[in-house]
Amino acid sequence: MSTDNRNSSISLAAIRNAAGSSVVVFDVSNRTQIEVRGADRARFLHSFMSNDIKSLKSGTGCETFVTSLKGKVVAHVYVFCREDSHWLDGAPQQQSAILPHLQKFVLIDDVQLIAHEDDFGELFVSGPLATQLLQLPETMRIGDSEQRELHDTAIDIRRVDLFGAPGFLMSIPRSQVDRVKQGMISVGIPEGTSDQFEYLRIEAGYPLFGQDFTEDYLAQEVARTRQCVSFNKGCYLGQETIARLDALGHTNREIRRIRFESPIAPASGSPVFDAAGESEVGVLTSAASDSENPDPAQTKGVGIGTLKRAVCPAGSVVRVKSNGNLIEGQVL
């Protein structure tokens, strides 16, 4: 998920500090945004998503998977309900999967799917002071959204805590994104780069569709079941497989966060081994290093990987093979 890299003079340590104690902004304008209109839209989306869409009221939303008949993940998005439409907002490059998958089920339904990747960009504002900066109610929950005017520009503000702290996606007409962003920077809000966004995303353990998991993953293997799956909503595409796996009580593999003993993380795609370094137990799908920090005691390399069930519990020691060496890490 790329962001504007022009503001490269601010260190990762400064961005991490701002994200943890005040507020930081990232340009994430390459995210997927799809508007769904029509009188049947809520019932239609409810039938093809793992979370409860029909119960959403205007101004509320949820995180969900778009699922296949076999219970696998077609896409991973947030759904935001408005009075006249629903909006799907997710990681980049999902439009080409979502639109044809849903469109083939639109028969006599009053549903229109409208791609907006070229029309709207997004800023992500995160940190303990983000709610105050955007003058939002403290009661705003994850999935809630509000329509506002900022710097004379109409925007949608959507709460998604990607880093674990209060976080808000601001959907803005593309022609106005830079203007709104510069307005924030002018009052002292630091702008992070794409690499810094990746470090904070990985450190928080937020998986990215297309990188940390794909359409080959069952919904529960992504390890966001609590956020994305409703077991009380009734029938939907893939529900039988997801319910059966829930009854079994576990998956054979799941996505996990890993912290390394070195500030330099192994490369993405590196195989993961058990504590003895003998049996391959998974693969590292995302990794980020703090190459700016010369003190390894201060900051560790971080990663996200898909691991076999045997090493999924927090605290498990793993070793990742990189450049012929085995680098020790701990599952979080």
Side-chain angles (χ1 to χ4, degrees):
M1 185 179 300
S2 63
T3 67
D4 195 332
N5 276 296
R6 290 176 294 175
N7 192 21
S8 58
S9 61
I10 302 177
S11 69
L12 173 60
I15 291 296
R16 289 179 79 237
N17 180 66
S21 62
S22 56
V23 66
V24 64
V25 61
F26 297 90
D27 190 328
V28 291
S29 289
N30 56 353
R31 285 178 62 86
T32 298
Q33 295 192 69
I34 297 172
E35 183 182 11
V36 186
R37 288 184 167 269
D40 299 327
R41 65 186 185 277
R43 177 187 56 78
F44 177 82
L45 292 174
H46 191 84
S47 299
F48 303 103
M49 296 185 171
S50 59
N51 217 333
D52 187 351
I53 307 302
K54 285 202 297 188
S55 68
L56 297 178
K57 307 298 182 185
S58 182
T60 67
C62 64
E63 183 180 347
T64 187
F65 298 123
V66 181
T67 47
S68 71
L69 179 61
K70 296 182 178 180
K72 294 190 175 182
V73 178
V74 175
H76 175 218
V77 297
Y78 286 85
V79 177
F80 300 97
C81 178
R82 289 169 49 172
E83 286 289 346
D84 57 354
S85 63
H86 286 68
W87 283 70
L88 314 185
D89 188 325
Q93 300 179 348
Q94 294 189 88
Q95 177 177 300
S96 60
I98 294 171
L99 289 180
H101 175 75
L102 294 180
Q103 193 68 55
K104 67 185 177 184
F105 295 108
V106 178
L107 301 175
I108 60 173
D109 301 285
D110 181 9
V111 171
Q112 298 89 46
L113 303 165
I114 307 163
H116 280 301
E117 287 187 352
D118 295 333
D119 305 320
F120 293 88
E122 284 188 295
L123 300 177
F124 180 58
V125 180
S126 182
L129 300 183
T131 304
Q132 179 180 337
L133 171 71
L134 299 176
Q135 298 180 1
L136 297 168
E138 295 290 342
T139 55
M140 196 170 179
R141 301 172 300 176
I142 295 173
D144 287 355
S145 63
E146 288 204 1
Q147 295 176 274
R148 290 286 186 87
E149 280 202 5
L150 187 65
H151 303 298
D152 300 320
T153 299
I155 61 174
D156 277 359
I157 302 178
R158 305 160 178 169
R159 180 161 182 180
V160 293
D161 295 359
L162 303 183
F163 299 159
F168 301 91
L169 289 167
M170 303 170 62
S171 179
I172 308 166
R174 279 195 175 271
S175 62
Q176 299 298 316
V177 170
D178 196 60
R179 179 169 174 248
V180 174
K181 180 173 61 178
Q182 291 304 321
M184 293 186 178
I185 294 172
S186 70
V187 295
I189 308 303
E191 179 193 1
T193 67
S194 59
D195 288 342
Q196 292 164 346
F197 181 96
E198 276 294 278
Y199 189 97
L200 294 178
R201 176 189 74 81
I202 295 167
E203 184 178 44
Y206 187 84
L208 193 65
F209 184 82
Q211 182 169 321
D212 297 307
F213 64 105
T214 66
E215 64 276 4
D216 293 325
Y217 280 60
L218 293 165
Q220 284 101 320
E221 290 177 333
V222 184
R224 293 189 72 80
T225 303
R226 178 180 61 81
Q227 297 94 332
C228 293
V229 180
S230 168
F231 292 101
N232 303 311
K233 61 171 285 186
C235 295
Y236 62 96
L237 196 69
Q239 184 245 357
E240 184 178 347
T241 300
I242 292 171
R244 187 186 311 122
L245 184 55
D246 180 63
L248 291 174
H250 66 82
T251 59
N252 293 325
R253 63 175 185 173
E254 284 189 15
I255 290 175
R256 287 292 184 270
R257 186 167 45 124
I258 303 171
R259 181 179 62 224
F260 297 102
E261 292 304 309
S262 164
I264 306 300
S268 299
S270 300
V272 181
F273 292 83
D274 61 10
E278 298 174 352
S279 298
E280 189 169 336
V281 294
V283 62
L284 191 68
T285 53
S286 287
S289 302
D290 184 12
S291 56
E292 303 169 355
N293 195 335
D295 185 356
Q298 291 186 26
T299 307
K300 307 293 186 181
V302 291
I304 292 174
T306 299
L307 304 178
K308 291 183 179 179
R309 181 170 172 246
V311 294
C312 279
S316 299
V317 173
V318 294
R319 298 183 186 277
V320 180
K321 190 172 185 179
S322 181
N323 297 322
N325 299 316
L326 287 173
I327 300 175
E328 183 175 320
Q330 185 178 58
V331 180
L332 301 178

